[in-house]
Amino acid sequence: MGRLAAVVAAFSALAAAAWGAASPVSPAPDAVVAQPTFRWTLPANETSEAVYVAADPERTSEGGFVPRNIVASTLVAAAAREWTLDKELYAGRYWWLVRSFAEDTFETVFSAPTPFAVPVEADIARIEVRRLSRRIGPDDLRVTVGWRTNAREASVTARLLRSGRLLWTARERGPSLVGTPRTTVLSWRKPPRIRQGTRLRLVVALGAGAATRSATRLVRAP
């Protein structure tokens, strides 16, 4: 930000304070919330106009968030004092502010940005194990894992063990899509030395940011 822009932004912030901007109530500064409901208060001469959520606190000279950083926003009724976010956010740090209208000065006023964080969530929804028969050679074991997370990237790992000894491991890593269930399919080709019907332990792990989830199934070699 240049010197002139910084001066303008500082003046805007002082003016907003003089006009009596909205006062954010919740989420409180640095609160950790999965699905936030934003609540605020207003001076008697203010009416609510909009709420904004951004991934960076940088603001324009008018006091609002820089458009490229806005991840959610809504227009609200003049009498509104709360808004529940209707979309999931990726895990991470965010800021929110309220735009209101000063009835006595006919000016648009922005509250100061308030930081909050969305925690990492991860879940293994289902594990399906299916035998795929082949006419010639060993059969395959297909492992289908249904999962979801709000982390931007995730990895799914499957391991097969016999009597505690690792026989096979496979891993798939890639981007996730917040709010959307995902499916990962991994296949194990049984070597000839493993007898059909041998009892095995399948361990599936989902890694998403700082969160790790795992599940175990007892299966038989195809």
Side-chain angles (χ1 to χ4, degrees):
M1 180 183 294
R3 183 178 180 84
L4 178 59
V7 172
V8 173
F11 175 79
S12 177
L14 289 173
W19 295 329
S23 297
V25 175
S26 66
D30 296 318
V32 179
V33 288
Q35 194 72 22
T37 292
F38 302 98
R39 296 184 174 90
W40 61 94
T41 61
L42 286 173
N45 65 329
E46 297 283 331
T47 59
S48 300
E49 288 193 321
V51 183
Y52 299 88
V53 180
D56 188 282
E58 182 183 2
R59 292 196 285 173
T60 65
S61 59
E62 289 78 19
F65 290 128
V66 173
R68 67 174 178 274
N69 296 325
I70 296 174
V71 298
S73 64
T74 187
L75 296 176
V76 294
R81 296 296 184 271
E82 72 174 44
W83 170 57
T84 299
L85 190 63
D86 58 359
K87 61 179 284 187
E88 291 187 48
L89 296 175
Y90 283 108
R93 188 170 172 82
Y94 296 90
W95 289 259
W96 70 284
L97 57 72
V98 178
R99 188 184 82 201
S100 58
F101 180 76
E103 298 173 355
D104 54 351
T105 62
F106 302 102
E107 296 287 348
T108 294
V109 190
F110 292 90
S111 67
T114 299
F116 70 98
V118 174
V120 177
E121 296 184 344
D123 178 55
I124 297 176
R126 63 186 176 90
I127 298 175
E128 296 177 359
V129 181
R130 181 182 178 187
R131 173 186 174 183
L132 300 180
S133 299
R134 303 169 71 241
R135 292 185 178 181
I136 302 176
D139 294 337
D140 291 347
L141 203 66
R142 175 177 291 177
V143 179
T144 301
V145 183
W147 55 274
R148 65 182 296 159
T149 181
N150 64 353
R152 294 186 181 275
E153 286 193 342
S155 64
V156 176
T157 304
R159 296 185 296 155
L160 277 176
L161 300 96
R162 182 181 64 174
S163 301
R165 184 175 180 180
L166 181 65
L167 296 177
W168 166 78
T169 184
R171 183 171 182 257
E172 184 175 296
R173 182 178 182 85
S176 68
L177 187 60
V178 65
T180 302
R182 303 296 300 273
T183 299
T184 298
V185 179
L186 303 168
S187 295
W188 173 62
R189 178 156 296 179
K190 180 181 72 65
R193 61 186 175 83
I194 303 296
R195 288 187 177 184
Q196 183 178 7
T198 299
R199 288 173 60 89
L200 305 172
R201 185 159 61 98
L202 171 67
V203 180
V204 173
L206 169 64
T212 301
R213 302 289 182 269
S214 63
T216 301
R217 300 286 188 274
L218 294 178
V219 300
R220 292 189 179 275

